[in-house]
Amino acid sequence: MSSVVDKIWATLEPLTDPEIPVVTLRELGILRDVRQTPAGIEVVITPTYSGCPAMGQIEDDVRASLEQAGIEARVITQLAPAWTTDWMSDEAKEKLRAYGIAPPHRTCGSGAGEVSVLKFVRRQPTEAVACPQCGSTHTVVTSEFGSTACKALYKCLDCQEPFDYFKPY
Ligand SMILES: [Zn+2]
């Protein structure tokens, strides 16, 4: 019974993000789960953020792959818990860097568990983002929106290369 689940993971393994062809949906944490339910097999995906224009494409890709492999499964888009860049594997972050996109820092959205006294202490608003080309942290943000809304545009002041930074959230 679980062999079908394994087969689905194997089938979907090569699927990559439509915007970042070097990382797979599994590595990004977009492909959440493959589960056997009384109603049949469900493949669970979570968009990187609601309204991400790539999501329809991702869903289509997943469906097409399943169909090609002759697998009957429903594709479920699950919005909660919301995707965060923490779900991205270290492997994926490394691939992003190699591709020229600075990977996200750990999310700073840990405010929920924090004591309210700390709320006046502002976190460092912008951590230094290392240039994926030369590793320099001597970088500046040039636009809050890069090639897609998920990314900010940065420029390295050392090698002068512009690059995308995958924003953490
Ligand atoms: Zn650089």
Side-chain angles (χ1 to χ4, degrees):
M1 191 164 101
S2 69
S3 67
V4 181
V5 171
D6 290 345
K7 190 182 170 195
I8 292 177
W9 279 113
T11 300
L12 299 180
E13 179 62 35
L15 289 183
T16 53
D17 185 278
E19 287 167 356
I20 316 162
V22 291
V23 280
T24 68
L25 299 179
R26 183 189 53 75
E27 287 168 335
L28 282 171
I30 290 171
L31 186 56
R32 294 304 302 156
D33 199 14
V34 178
R35 62 195 179 199
Q36 193 106 38
T37 74
I41 293 184
E42 293 178 347
V43 175
V44 184
I45 52 178
T46 295
T48 48
Y49 65 97
S50 49
C52 185
M55 206 52 201
Q57 178 71 51
I58 291 169
E59 210 177 308
D60 286 350
D61 288 352
V62 169
R63 281 221 179 83
S65 288
L66 292 171
E67 220 165 89
Q68 256 172 29
I71 297 165
E72 282 272 336
R74 285 199 299 156
V75 180
I76 307 254
T77 299
Q78 189 177 300
L79 298 173
W83 183 87
T84 89
T85 39
D86 286 347
W87 293 6
M88 214 182 261
S89 69
D90 289 341
E91 204 183 355
K93 290 178 185 172
E94 210 33 68
K95 287 186 181 176
L96 280 181
R97 191 177 293 119
Y99 188 59
I101 298 172
H105 291 288
R106 292 273 161 205
T107 52
C108 36
S110 56
E114 252 164 60
V115 195
S116 57
V117 174
L118 289 178
K119 78 181 172 192
F120 298 111
V121 184
R122 284 201 60 93
R123 275 168 191 280
Q124 183 92 2
T126 43
E127 265 180 283
V129 172
C131 167
Q133 316 290 343
C134 71
S136 166
T137 50
H138 196 201
T139 58
V140 287
V141 61
T142 54
S143 167
E144 278 303 316
F145 295 97
S147 59
T148 68
C150 317
K151 304 182 205 84
L153 196 61
Y154 271 70
K155 185 177 178 169
C156 177
L157 299 175
D158 282 337
C159 72
Q160 301 297 318
E161 282 294 320
F163 64 91
D164 273 338
Y165 170 51
F166 203 113
K167 288 187 276 191
Y169 52 117

